Amino acid sequence: MLPFWKKRPTPASSPPVRPAEAADLLALEEEQAFAASVLKKRSELASVPAPAPLHPREISEEMEWTEQGDVYRPTAANAPALLNSFGLSESSPLRAGKSLCFVRRTAWETLQAHLRKDTRIELGGLLVGQAFYDAERTVYIVVVEQALPALDGAGTALTFSYTEETWRTLSPQMQNLPPDWTLLGSYHSHPGLGVFLSSTDLETQRGVFFHDWQVALVVDPLSNAIGFFFGAEGHPCPHWQLL
Protein backbone atom coordinates (compact mmCIF):
# COMPACT_ATOMS: atom_id res chain seq x y z
CA MET A 1 0.00 0.00 0.00
CA LEU A 2 1.39 3.40 -0.95
CA PRO A 3 2.24 5.81 1.89
CA PHE A 4 -0.05 8.80 2.13
CA TRP A 5 2.58 11.15 0.73
CA LYS A 6 2.92 9.09 -2.45
CA LYS A 7 -0.71 8.51 -3.37
CA ARG A 8 -1.39 8.63 -7.08
CA PRO A 9 -2.87 12.00 -8.17
CA THR A 10 -6.41 12.02 -9.53
CA PRO A 11 -6.57 13.18 -13.18
CA ALA A 12 -8.10 16.65 -13.53
CA SER A 13 -10.79 15.31 -15.85
CA SER A 14 -11.97 12.70 -13.34
CA PRO A 15 -14.47 13.39 -10.56
CA PRO A 16 -12.89 13.71 -7.12
CA VAL A 17 -12.46 10.44 -5.22
CA ARG A 18 -14.16 10.39 -1.87
CA PRO A 19 -12.06 9.23 1.13
CA ALA A 20 -14.07 6.01 1.52
CA GLU A 21 -13.57 5.15 -2.17
CA ALA A 22 -9.85 5.88 -1.94
CA ALA A 23 -9.56 3.61 1.10
CA ASP A 24 -11.37 0.82 -0.79
CA LEU A 25 -9.01 1.20 -3.78
CA LEU A 26 -5.92 1.07 -1.60
CA ALA A 27 -7.25 -1.95 0.29
CA LEU A 28 -7.94 -3.70 -3.02
CA GLU A 29 -4.41 -2.95 -4.28
CA GLU A 30 -2.94 -4.32 -1.06
CA GLU A 31 -5.04 -7.47 -1.30
CA GLN A 32 -4.09 -8.05 -4.94
CA ALA A 33 -0.39 -7.54 -4.14
CA PHE A 34 -0.57 -10.07 -1.29
CA ALA A 35 -2.37 -12.63 -3.48
CA ALA A 36 0.24 -12.13 -6.22
CA SER A 37 3.10 -12.71 -3.77
CA VAL A 38 1.45 -15.96 -2.61
CA LEU A 39 1.10 -17.24 -6.19
CA LYS A 40 4.71 -16.31 -6.93
CA LYS A 41 5.99 -18.19 -3.89
CA ARG A 42 3.95 -21.28 -4.74
CA SER A 43 5.39 -21.20 -8.26
CA GLU A 44 8.95 -20.85 -6.98
CA LEU A 45 8.59 -23.87 -4.71
CA ALA A 46 6.66 -26.03 -7.14
CA SER A 47 9.85 -27.93 -7.98
CA VAL A 48 10.62 -28.82 -4.35
CA PRO A 49 10.39 -32.64 -4.02
CA ALA A 50 7.42 -33.83 -2.02
CA PRO A 51 8.19 -35.71 1.21
CA ALA A 52 8.32 -39.49 0.97
CA PRO A 53 4.93 -41.20 1.43
CA LEU A 54 4.21 -42.51 4.88
CA HIS A 55 4.62 -46.18 5.68
CA PRO A 56 1.23 -47.92 6.19
CA ARG A 57 2.02 -48.31 9.89
CA GLU A 58 2.60 -44.56 10.20
CA ILE A 59 -0.69 -43.84 8.42
CA SER A 60 -2.61 -46.10 10.80
CA GLU A 61 -1.16 -44.23 13.75
CA GLU A 62 -2.36 -40.85 12.49
CA MET A 63 -5.45 -39.33 14.02
CA GLU A 64 -8.58 -39.50 11.87
CA TRP A 65 -10.75 -36.38 11.66
CA THR A 66 -14.52 -36.65 11.50
CA GLU A 67 -16.79 -33.69 10.89
CA GLN A 68 -19.98 -33.54 12.95
CA GLY A 69 -22.90 -31.62 11.51
CA ASP A 70 -23.78 -28.22 12.95
CA VAL A 71 -21.41 -28.45 15.90
CA TYR A 72 -20.63 -24.77 15.68
CA ARG A 73 -22.23 -21.88 13.82
CA PRO A 74 -20.74 -18.39 13.74
CA THR A 75 -22.64 -15.84 15.80
CA ALA A 76 -24.83 -13.45 13.81
CA ALA A 77 -23.47 -9.92 14.08
CA ASN A 78 -23.52 -6.44 12.62
CA ALA A 79 -19.96 -5.99 11.39
CA PRO A 80 -19.65 -2.21 11.91
CA ALA A 81 -21.07 -2.48 15.43
CA LEU A 82 -18.75 -5.40 16.24
CA LEU A 83 -15.69 -3.52 14.99
CA ASN A 84 -16.79 -0.49 16.95
CA SER A 85 -16.96 -2.63 20.09
CA PHE A 86 -13.30 -3.49 19.45
CA GLY A 87 -12.47 0.18 19.02
CA LEU A 88 -11.46 -0.50 15.42
CA SER A 89 -14.20 1.11 13.36
CA GLU A 90 -11.82 3.55 11.68
CA SER A 91 -8.81 1.30 11.24
CA SER A 92 -10.20 -1.88 9.64
CA PRO A 93 -11.16 -2.03 5.94
CA LEU A 94 -14.73 -3.38 5.97
CA ARG A 95 -15.81 -4.45 2.49
CA ALA A 96 -18.67 -6.69 1.41
CA GLY A 97 -17.56 -10.29 0.95
CA LYS A 98 -14.11 -9.71 2.45
CA SER A 99 -13.67 -11.42 5.80
CA LEU A 100 -11.43 -10.10 8.56
CA CYS A 101 -9.29 -11.72 11.22
CA PHE A 102 -8.34 -10.37 14.65
CA VAL A 103 -5.89 -11.89 17.12
CA ARG A 104 -5.66 -11.30 20.85
CA ARG A 105 -2.19 -10.08 21.74
CA THR A 106 -1.72 -12.88 24.30
CA ALA A 107 -2.46 -15.49 21.62
CA TRP A 108 -0.07 -13.76 19.24
CA GLU A 109 2.74 -13.72 21.77
CA THR A 110 2.19 -17.42 22.53
CA LEU A 111 2.42 -18.60 18.93
CA GLN A 112 5.30 -16.29 18.06
CA ALA A 113 7.34 -17.54 21.00
CA HIS A 114 6.55 -21.12 19.98
CA LEU A 115 7.51 -20.70 16.31
CA ARG A 116 10.81 -19.05 17.22
CA LYS A 117 11.95 -21.89 19.47
CA ASP A 118 13.51 -23.69 16.52
CA THR A 119 13.76 -21.95 13.15
CA ARG A 120 15.45 -24.93 11.51
CA ILE A 121 12.17 -26.85 11.21
CA GLU A 122 8.48 -26.14 10.83
CA LEU A 123 6.42 -25.88 14.01
CA GLY A 124 2.68 -25.42 14.42
CA GLY A 125 -0.44 -25.52 16.52
CA LEU A 126 -4.14 -24.72 16.69
CA LEU A 127 -6.09 -21.47 16.82
CA VAL A 128 -9.26 -21.24 18.91
CA GLY A 129 -11.75 -18.47 19.56
CA GLN A 130 -14.95 -17.04 18.10
CA ALA A 131 -16.39 -16.45 14.64
CA PHE A 132 -19.08 -13.94 13.68
CA TYR A 133 -21.08 -13.53 10.49
CA ASP A 134 -22.71 -10.45 9.01
CA ALA A 135 -25.23 -11.87 6.51
CA GLU A 136 -26.05 -8.48 5.01
CA ARG A 137 -22.42 -7.87 4.06
CA THR A 138 -21.47 -11.57 3.65
CA VAL A 139 -18.52 -10.97 5.96
CA TYR A 140 -16.98 -13.31 8.52
CA ILE A 141 -15.09 -11.78 11.42
CA VAL A 142 -12.80 -14.22 13.20
CA VAL A 143 -11.34 -13.49 16.63
CA VAL A 144 -8.44 -15.72 17.66
CA GLU A 145 -8.60 -15.83 21.44
CA GLN A 146 -5.89 -18.39 22.12
CA ALA A 147 -3.10 -20.32 20.40
CA LEU A 148 -2.47 -23.94 21.39
CA PRO A 149 1.08 -25.03 20.48
CA ALA A 150 1.28 -28.56 19.13
CA LEU A 151 4.16 -29.79 21.24
CA ASP A 152 5.92 -33.01 20.29
CA GLY A 153 4.87 -32.56 16.67
CA ALA A 154 6.95 -33.99 13.83
CA GLY A 155 8.66 -31.12 12.02
CA THR A 156 11.19 -31.01 9.21
CA ALA A 157 12.60 -28.13 7.18
CA LEU A 158 9.61 -28.43 4.81
CA THR A 159 6.80 -30.16 6.71
CA PHE A 160 4.96 -30.30 10.02
CA SER A 161 2.59 -33.00 11.25
CA TYR A 162 0.78 -33.87 14.46
CA THR A 163 1.60 -37.00 16.46
CA GLU A 164 -0.34 -39.11 18.94
CA GLU A 165 1.55 -37.45 21.78
CA THR A 166 0.56 -34.06 20.41
CA TRP A 167 -3.13 -34.97 20.52
CA ARG A 168 -2.84 -36.39 24.01
CA THR A 169 -1.68 -32.93 25.08
CA LEU A 170 -4.11 -30.89 22.97
CA SER A 171 -7.31 -32.86 23.59
CA PRO A 172 -7.78 -31.85 27.25
CA GLN A 173 -7.12 -28.21 26.33
CA MET A 174 -9.78 -28.37 23.61
CA GLN A 175 -12.31 -29.92 25.97
CA ASN A 176 -11.83 -27.12 28.49
CA LEU A 177 -12.50 -24.25 26.09
CA PRO A 178 -15.28 -21.76 26.91
CA PRO A 179 -18.59 -22.94 25.39
CA ASP A 180 -18.74 -20.07 22.87
CA TRP A 181 -15.25 -20.79 21.50
CA THR A 182 -14.42 -23.22 18.72
CA LEU A 183 -11.53 -24.52 16.63
CA LEU A 184 -10.86 -21.70 14.17
CA GLY A 185 -7.94 -23.27 12.34
CA SER A 186 -4.21 -23.77 12.64
CA TYR A 187 -0.87 -22.01 12.44
CA HIS A 188 2.55 -23.15 11.35
CA SER A 189 5.93 -21.76 10.36
CA HIS A 190 7.78 -21.64 7.04
CA PRO A 191 11.33 -20.79 8.18
CA GLY A 192 13.04 -18.98 5.33
CA LEU A 193 10.43 -20.05 2.78
CA GLY A 194 8.01 -17.13 2.84
CA VAL A 195 4.26 -16.97 3.35
CA PHE A 196 2.01 -19.23 1.25
CA LEU A 197 -0.03 -22.43 1.52
CA SER A 198 1.73 -25.43 0.05
CA SER A 199 -0.22 -28.22 -1.67
CA THR A 200 -0.12 -30.16 1.61
CA ASP A 201 -1.37 -27.12 3.52
CA LEU A 202 -4.27 -26.76 1.08
CA GLU A 203 -5.14 -30.43 1.50
CA THR A 204 -5.32 -29.84 5.25
CA GLN A 205 -7.59 -26.84 4.75
CA ARG A 206 -9.89 -28.75 2.43
CA GLY A 207 -10.01 -31.81 4.64
CA VAL A 208 -10.09 -30.29 8.13
CA PHE A 209 -10.56 -26.51 8.18
CA PHE A 210 -12.86 -26.19 5.18
CA HIS A 211 -15.50 -23.85 6.60
CA ASP A 212 -15.48 -20.34 5.15
CA TRP A 213 -14.75 -18.93 8.62
CA GLN A 214 -11.80 -21.19 9.38
CA VAL A 215 -8.27 -19.91 8.89
CA ALA A 216 -4.67 -20.92 8.34
CA LEU A 217 -1.90 -18.70 9.65
CA VAL A 218 1.57 -19.01 8.12
CA VAL A 219 4.59 -17.27 9.65
CA ASP A 220 8.13 -17.05 8.34
CA PRO A 221 10.01 -16.33 11.60
CA LEU A 222 13.22 -15.52 9.74
CA SER A 223 11.78 -12.72 7.62
CA ASN A 224 8.89 -11.81 9.95
CA ALA A 225 6.44 -12.39 7.07
CA ILE A 226 2.88 -13.21 8.15
CA GLY A 227 -0.17 -14.37 6.23
CA PHE A 228 -3.74 -15.42 7.03
CA PHE A 229 -5.80 -17.56 4.65
CA PHE A 230 -9.53 -18.32 4.79
CA GLY A 231 -11.50 -21.46 4.00
CA ALA A 232 -10.98 -24.58 1.95
CA GLU A 233 -9.30 -22.75 -0.93
CA GLY A 234 -7.01 -20.68 1.29
CA HIS A 235 -8.13 -17.24 0.13
CA PRO A 236 -5.53 -14.66 1.25
CA CYS A 237 -6.59 -12.29 4.02
CA PRO A 238 -4.12 -9.38 4.03
CA HIS A 239 -6.19 -7.35 6.49
CA TRP A 240 -5.83 -8.64 10.03
CA GLN A 241 -5.15 -6.92 13.32
CA LEU A 242 -4.06 -7.48 16.90
CA LEU A 243 -6.55 -6.83 19.70
Side-chain angles (χ1 to χ4, degrees):
M1 183 167 60
L2 291 174
F4 69 88
W5 63 86
K6 290 186 179 179
K7 289 184 179 177
R8 296 182 178 88
T10 302
S13 60
S14 302
V17 178
R18 294 191 297 271
E21 294 175 343
D24 285 345
L25 289 173
L26 291 173
L28 180 60
E29 288 181 359
E30 185 177 27
E31 181 177 330
Q32 291 173 339
F34 180 49
S37 69
V38 170
L39 291 175
K40 179 181 179 182
K41 201 63 186 181
R42 287 179 184 169
S43 176
E44 290 174 353
L45 296 178
S47 60
V48 175
L54 293 176
H55 186 277
R57 179 179 177 183
E58 294 178 286
I59 296 176
S60 67
E61 292 177 350
E62 287 193 334
M63 183 173 187
E64 294 185 2
W65 290 81
T66 56
E67 177 69 16
Q68 300 180 20
D70 298 333
V71 172
Y72 179 87
R73 289 181 180 275
T75 302
N78 175 276
L82 183 61
L83 295 184
N84 187 58
S85 71
F86 295 152
L88 300 172
S89 57
E90 299 298 327
S91 57
S92 297
L94 182 58
R95 296 161 53 211
K98 298 297 181 181
S99 298
L100 299 173
C101 188
F102 299 95
V103 186
R104 296 291 181 189
R105 189 170 296 276
T106 52
W108 184 249
E109 291 172 350
T110 295
L111 69 89
Q112 285 280 48
H114 175 216
L115 297 181
R116 294 178 187 282
K117 281 186 175 180
D118 190 342
T119 57
R120 299 169 300 174
I121 61 174
E122 291 191 10
L123 300 172
L126 302 178
L127 301 172
V128 297
Q130 303 180 78
F132 302 87
Y133 183 62
D134 185 326
E136 180 181 350
R137 297 170 178 81
T138 62
V139 166
Y140 288 99
I141 296 179
V142 171
V143 181
V144 177
E145 300 283 358
Q146 189 175 344
L148 304 179
L151 305 178
D152 302 311
T156 71
L158 296 174
T159 64
F160 174 78
S161 60
Y162 296 81
T163 65
E164 287 188 32
E165 186 60 34
T166 299
W167 291 116
R168 273 194 287 269
T169 302
L170 287 176
S171 293
Q173 299 178 58
M174 295 290 293
Q175 294 170 1
N176 291 326
L177 295 178
D180 56 343
W181 290 15
T182 190
L183 178 59
L184 295 175
S186 65
Y187 71 89
H188 69 281
S189 60
H190 278 179
L193 297 178
V195 170
F196 66 101
L197 290 182
S198 67
S199 57
T200 301
D201 297 335
L202 282 171
E203 287 179 9
T204 300
Q205 282 298 110
R206 293 166 183 160
V208 183
F209 305 114
F210 52 84
H211 293 295
D212 290 340
W213 47 267
Q214 289 185 303
V215 299
L217 166 61
V218 181
V219 177
D220 184 338
L222 297 181
S223 65
N224 293 318
I226 300 156
F228 277 93
F229 303 85
F230 266 98
E233 299 307 314
H235 297 296
C237 174
H239 305 296
W240 64 275
Q241 200 158 339
L242 290 180
L243 293 178

